[in-house]
Amino acid sequence: MTSVLYPRLLDHAARELHREYMDSTLEELQGRAAFHHRAAVFAATGGRRVTVDELQDLRERIVRAAEYAGYPGEGRRADRANFDLEVAKLLHQRSGLVAAEAAVRSIWAFLALVLLPDVSYWRYPRPPADRVMGTDITRHVWGRLWWRAHLLALPREADRYRLLDVFGEAAFDQIFARRRSLGGSRALVRALAETWPTIDRGGVNDRQLLRDVLKRLLRTSAVVEFEALDDDELRRQVAEAAAESVAVLAESEPLAGRRHAQDDA
Amino acid sequence: MSRAFPFIRPPRDVVRVGPWSRAVADGVEELPRELPDWDYETVLSLRRPVQVDGLRARRSSGLPDDAELDLTVRWGSSTCALRGRAWRAPVPPRDGAEIGIEFDLDGDQLGGVLELDTVLTLRRATDGASPAAARRPGSVLWNDRFSVLLQGDAVLFPLAIADFQDLPYPTGAGWFLEIGHDLEAAALGSILLLANERRKVVVDALAAAGSPSEADERVLSALRTDVQRALIEHALAHEDFSDDVEYPGGSLGALLAAVLRTTFPAFGVEGLRRERNADPILFTARIHDATDLLASS
């Protein structure tokens, strides 16, 4: 696959733009959207440079998705969650990024601060720097969505993004934050997403349950090679870890603590 | 770091691995530790001969002869923190079984350090196993790791040519190394070498890095030394950088630690900070010495 290369916005420019945009109105930010920036450069790595037409197309699609979610108005929380899912698909399907290029934080700074400043600051009003600068891709307004789609996509299936909405934002963050230990295995993340809706929670809080399942899988990964397993066996082991977690948590958790069983996962 | 396995593992020599090799235009060559010509569009065609004593592996692991074992290769990429299965085959229950590992690895998931783990695992336990034998499918009975540095081009980092007139750097500077501050972020996403298109001699030398003339080589030597100096200065000036911390593989912190170790193997970070503060001119000369500045090849 030929990678499409995106401009990398240099740090000093990203910092300056963020400082300026924190006090800008949405109308002002709409006027600042652009397809290039003097301090944005292309790396001389394999691939071809994104064209202005492609950037324009990406911007138009994301703005349209934002409008469905209420942009430029505030919109409802549920609409923003749907907007995130829509954009995750859009970015993954249409940006032409490969994983190595998507790990470069300065391309995400370009998207947030040059191509889409209005939508970025609409999605996260007055955001902390890492939401737009890409200092932490797991928190970046657009970068985290591309990675969510990448880890959960099923390339061989017709509905390749059907697992995208299994986890809520906070739950997926728990997985993505463990990218170097567990979350970097697409097979394991997909098995977890396939299994998650079928787990009998027994009233246990979702967030706690996921944290405990991830802990168990991490422990197991020291002596078991998940990549060697077939999909059905992998799902069986995830379900087994989840059942153990439910048994232990249900035992230790007082009933009163189970009220938020369906809260944020 | 060694792991404690809660089951019996066979002796190391039940698996004997040959060298990794890769297919190239005119045949096959041993896989080097660095692949300077790699980019995202490269497909690596990799091979490795392996001999497994399949029967001895089972018996010395406390497993019955009809237990099912697999040999698997897992790839891992430091830049993207992704991993996956590259290849897998069953291991027959006989000694001296020859198994040829062979697969293609697309570049679009890779970057930084590529890790190739060859792993012997249990696929399915059967009746008659020792109580101390592995039972869980996927249990690692034997493993081996080989690492390759990808993208090791002439200057090791992504490079961009830009007009410094447009950037906040001195218009006549030959180059500038942009380095991030997050020590745990992927190194290759945190470092960008900017070359000034107004300095033709630099741009030309970088373009010719694959087969440089003597004049290009001198420019590249100065560039390499200065890049290394910038990384060392960045590490020493970064108040959170320490040699007590184990930074994740492929991270900026790990790269800075490796650069310091290679350049000054006999010094710790604090010692280097003192040395630089006490005599910065001598410190710079030490970097020139360690990086063979302008030494003829």
Side-chain angles (χ1 to χ4, degrees):
Chain A
M1 174 179 170
T2 300
S3 175
V4 177
L5 303 177
Y6 280 70
R8 300 175 182 209
L9 183 63
L10 303 183
D11 267 0
H12 74 276
R15 266 194 305 275
E16 271 173 31
L17 288 175
H18 176 50
R19 204 175 305 131
E20 186 186 336
Y21 290 171
M22 286 289 272
D23 297 315
S24 301
T25 64
L26 204 53
E27 291 72 32
E28 286 166 341
L29 292 173
Q30 281 166 340
R32 297 297 299 273
F35 304 116
H36 45 77
H37 188 280
R38 286 170 52 169
V41 297
F42 283 98
T45 354
R48 67 162 182 86
R49 295 179 177 195
V50 68
T51 64
V52 169
D53 285 350
E54 287 168 328
L55 287 175
Q56 188 163 2
D57 179 65
L58 192 62
R59 173 172 165 77
E60 282 169 6
R61 286 173 189 274
I62 291 177
V63 169
R64 222 166 22 242
E67 284 166 353
Y68 278 121
Y71 171 87
E74 206 174 297
R76 292 175 309 152
R77 197 175 160 187
D79 290 335
R80 291 188 183 208
N82 286 336
F83 167 76
D84 279 358
L85 296 181
E86 202 48 46
V87 174
K89 284 184 232 174
L90 257 173
L91 284 172
H92 196 247
Q93 267 176 327
R94 302 212 154 253
S95 65
L97 281 167
V98 297
E101 192 66 7
V104 175
R105 55 202 185 85
S106 47
I107 66 149
W108 296 113
F110 176 84
L111 287 187
L113 292 158
V114 179
L115 186 68
L116 294 155
D118 43 353
V119 193
S120 304
Y121 287 79
W122 164 79
R123 177 64 186 83
Y124 290 105
R126 295 195 63 77
D130 56 5
R131 285 286 189 204
V132 286
M133 284 188 48
T135 36
D136 174 0
I137 293 176
T138 66
R139 305 252 310 147
H140 190 272
V141 54
W142 310 121
R144 74 196 165 88
L145 297 179
W146 188 94
W147 277 99
R148 183 164 169 181
H150 190 65
L151 290 171
L152 289 166
L154 301 159
R156 281 185 228 109
E157 292 195 16
D159 185 6
R160 61 194 303 218
Y161 296 113
R162 71 176 165 82
L163 297 178
L164 266 191
D165 60 354
V166 168
F167 298 110
E169 184 176 351
F172 187 75
D173 283 353
Q174 284 200 58
I175 299 168
F176 197 32
R178 291 164 177 79
R179 194 153 66 104
R180 297 208 171 267
S181 50
L182 281 179
S185 166
R186 296 170 82 186
L188 183 63
V189 173
R190 287 164 193 167
L192 191 57
E194 295 271 17
T195 312
W196 193 245
T198 68
I199 295 168
D200 179 1
R201 265 68 165 171
V204 172
N205 175 297
D206 264 15
R207 176 182 289 200
Q208 257 186 310
L209 176 60
L210 183 59
R211 193 181 306 132
D212 198 79
V213 171
L214 290 172
K215 215 159 54 185
R216 280 172 200 280
L217 291 173
L218 184 60
R219 264 200 312 260
T220 306
S221 72
V223 294
V224 166
E225 178 51 71
F226 290 130
E227 304 301 333
L229 301 176
D230 290 327
D231 289 347
D232 53 353
E233 173 59 25
L234 192 50
R235 285 196 293 267
R236 196 195 61 74
Q237 293 207 16
V238 169
E240 190 178 275
E244 286 167 13
S245 292
V246 168
V248 170
L249 291 173
E251 181 96 346
S252 61
E253 197 179 10
L255 277 173
R258 302 186 203 171
R259 277 195 308 245
H260 309 292
Q262 300 299 322
D263 62 0
D264 63 347
Chain B
M1 199 171 67
S2 64
R3 286 175 274 176
F5 286 85
F7 45 78
I8 310 170
R9 299 179 88 213
R12 286 290 301 167
D13 65 357
V14 295
V15 181
R16 294 170 294 281
V17 286
W20 280 104
S21 59
R22 67 163 177 163
V24 288
D26 50 357
V28 175
E29 66 165 26
E30 189 164 330
L31 186 62
R33 290 284 180 175
E34 287 183 21
L35 284 175
D37 54 348
W38 182 92
D39 66 30
Y40 307 144
E41 290 173 32
T42 306
V43 177
L44 290 173
S45 292
L46 300 175
R47 300 154 194 205
R48 183 182 220 187
V50 181
Q51 199 179 61
V52 188
D53 290 342
L55 203 55
R56 196 159 64 92
R58 286 168 172 83
R59 290 178 180 170
S60 54
S61 303
L63 295 163
D65 292 355
D66 61 351
E68 293 175 32
L69 304 189
D70 283 327
L71 194 65
T72 299
V73 177
R74 179 182 86 168
W75 61 266
S77 150
S78 65
T79 305
C80 323
L82 289 173
R83 55 185 162 278
R85 187 203 303 163
W87 177 92
R88 187 182 70 177
V91 174
R94 59 183 161 78
D95 289 342
E98 305 276 355
I99 299 177
I101 294 174
E102 191 169 342
F103 58 88
D104 288 348
L105 209 47
D106 286 341
D108 58 4
Q109 305 283 321
L110 311 180
V113 178
L114 166 66
E115 285 173 350
L116 295 167
D117 287 309
T118 308
V119 195
L120 179 70
T121 54
L122 175 68
R123 175 189 274 263
R124 198 170 63 87
T126 49
D127 292 341
S130 148
R135 300 205 65 80
R136 188 192 279 265
S139 295
V140 176
L141 301 175
W142 180 98
N143 59 313
D144 160 86
R145 174 170 290 180
F146 186 86
S147 302
V148 188
L149 177 63
L150 304 173
Q151 257 168 327
D153 64 10
V155 289
L156 278 175
F157 309 117
L159 162 75
I161 314 289
D163 185 346
F164 277 28
Q165 176 82 37
D166 297 334
L167 304 178
Y169 308 127
T171 314
W175 54 78
F176 187 89
L177 192 67
E178 283 248 332
I179 316 176
H181 284 271
D182 181 354
L183 295 169
E184 302 216 334
L188 287 171
S190 306
I191 300 178
L192 181 66
L193 178 65
L194 294 161
N196 191 352
E197 68 182 27
R198 290 169 177 249
R199 289 290 175 262
K200 191 170 178 304
V201 66
V202 176
V203 175
D204 289 351
L206 285 166
S211 53
S213 67
E214 244 178 72
D216 294 330
E217 190 44 66
R218 283 195 288 273
V219 175
L220 292 173
S221 172
L223 178 59
R224 278 192 209 103
T225 292
D226 197 48
V227 162
Q228 203 149 331
R229 183 199 57 74
L231 290 169
I232 290 167
E233 293 284 355
H234 189 76
L236 298 181
H238 197 304
E239 58 184 22
D240 294 335
F241 182 78
S242 158
D243 41 13
D244 295 337
V245 179
E246 194 172 325
Y247 297 102
S251 67
L252 176 62
L255 180 121
L256 294 176
V259 168
L260 284 183
R261 248 193 335 268
T262 321
T263 318
F264 299 113
F267 287 85
V269 171
E270 279 315 312
L272 286 172
R273 283 189 174 121
R274 277 196 299 275
E275 171 101 352
R276 185 192 54 152
N277 292 341
D279 195 340
I281 301 171
L282 179 62
F283 186 72
T284 306
R286 285 197 200 283
I287 297 175
H288 291 179
D289 175 45
T291 56
D292 289 335
L293 175 64
L294 298 176
S296 50
S297 50

